Amino acid sequence: MTSHSNRLLRVGEVADLLGVSRSYVYKLAQNSPSFPQPVVLGDETNRRSSSRWVLTEIEDWVNSRPRGKDYDTES
């Protein structure tokens, strides 16, 4: 039903994939403009609505991250 390219992940799955806590995933979604925004399932005004992240968007975000120690130096 869902292809790999648009698979939706729960916050715990995103946290496990990134090796961070669930609360940090929410913090990234709120404070990092480059981090993918979740898809809200249900009424967006209801705080109890479920949030899901698109797997390929998370993978693309990870692949765009700096590698090694070179990211702190200016070229």
Side-chain angles (χ1 to χ4, degrees):
M1 202 155 152
T2 305
S3 71
H4 176 72
S5 63
N6 62 358
R7 180 169 172 242
L8 298 177
L9 303 175
R10 294 177 176 177
V11 65
E13 294 172 306
V14 176
D16 289 345
L17 187 65
L18 299 179
V20 299
S21 68
R22 293 165 46 122
S23 62
Y24 190 69
V25 172
Y26 287 120
K27 188 179 287 189
L28 282 171
Q30 284 184 338
N31 300 325
S32 176
S34 65
F35 191 75
Q37 292 301 299
V39 175
V40 178
L41 305 176
D43 184 8
E44 291 184 20
T45 60
N46 184 350
R47 289 181 47 91
R48 297 185 61 109
S49 291
S50 297
S51 297
R52 301 289 188 270
W53 282 262
V54 179
L55 174 59
T56 54
E57 292 178 5
I58 296 296
E59 290 173 335
D60 290 345
W61 182 81
V62 168
N63 290 331
S64 73
R65 306 311 310 151
R67 302 261 195 288
K69 296 182 181 182
D70 293 336
Y71 66 91
D72 281 336
T73 61
E74 293 183 23
S75 298

